[in-house]
Amino acid sequence: MSSHREAPAISKDPVADNTDVYAFRTPGNTVTLIACYLPVEAPAGGPNFYEFGDEVLYEIHIDNDRDAKPNVSYQFRFTTVNTIADTFLYNVGPIGSLTDPNWNRRQTYNLTKVVTGPGSSKKTTTLGTGLTTPPVNIGPRSTPSYEALAAGAVHTLNSTKVFAGQRADAFFVDLGSVFDLGTLRPFQNLHLLVTAADDGVDALANANVQALALQVPISDLTAGGVVPADVLNATATIGVWATASRQRVLTIKDGVRQSVGPWEQVSRLGNPLVNEVIIPLARKDEWNADKPDGDSEYAQYVARPELAALLPVLYPGVFPNLAGLNVDRADLLAILLT
């Protein structure tokens, strides 16, 4: 599920911007959950390479009773330190391990699990503290054994595995084409404004993201802690989404930043491209701040998506069924708002 730079306000706050959410079953009766942030990172982004935000609360949420409210949440909080004085460099030599003294700019994080019970009661468990992230993949001289560094940052916490760090963006999207008045390659020669046909281009092929990855037992996520054998069993379905939140007040004095006050959600992602191509521009920031259980107020945009009306105009004669369709899209409502 992907949305990159999908709303005006969050596009100005990339470190808190959800880009992708993945959830899939893995061996050993486990589920892997991945939430990515900070879109379109250039790999050569030094000397201040990309990193998670110390002032951001990153969360992966699981709903297991079908009310669109979180029953289980995993929270990530980061801390960044510089270990070498009087250098502008991220590292002053090759980084051979996660404790190498050549590595200046380091991030660690705490992982917390929050289970919401009856009456909104909460049980909070600290799963790990001071967990290391790997350095970014700077190059063959600075990180000659990068894969080993990344593997060393996979932490096993009893039955949970976790990783946080920079990864290649796995999503394919032709951003340069699709937002140029809905150009769909390779048949853009059929567009109202004709151009030569050519193949699609993956705009994110050389871009990175900041990824949070968890592998947890199914029984940690389902209602009652069961591992259902029947996919039609109500407990066999979970809802997964990710958010980023900031505290209400940020003060800056002498270059020192401090955040205080209650947390406010500034970004969320669970269904593909909903905010990016369905929610109107004027309501995108509002949608990012809302909770999934209130999504019915946006049903009108899902039922009659703007793109469905635009395609017959942009591609005359190519989408005759869409051109004559003047009903609410029950299929989209079922897929995106159930």
Side-chain angles (χ1 to χ4, degrees), residues 41-46 49-50 136-138 166 206-208:
E41 297 179 5
F49 291 95
Y50 298 97
V136 299
N137 190 2
I138 303 168
Q166 191 180 69
N206 297 308
N208 294 326

Side-chain angles (χ1 to χ4, degrees), residues 124-202:
T124 300
T125 305
T126 300
L127 300 181
T129 60
L131 303 172
T132 53
T133 66
V136 299
N137 190 2
I138 303 168
R141 294 173 180 80
S142 293
T143 48
S145 302
Y146 176 73
E147 292 304 324
L149 292 171
V154 177
H155 303 282
T156 300
L157 312 170
N158 295 321
S159 59
T160 298
K161 286 186 177 181
V162 62
F163 170 87
Q166 191 180 69
R167 298 277 83 184
D169 195 327
F171 192 69
F172 184 110
V173 61
D174 194 345
L175 287 170
S177 178
V178 73
F179 289 115
D180 182 14
L181 289 179
T183 302
L184 303 176
R185 292 192 277 210
F187 58 93
Q188 67 266 39
N189 58 305
L190 302 177
H191 196 286
L192 183 67
L193 306 172
V194 178
T195 58
D198 57 15
D199 294 330
V201 176
D202 183 4

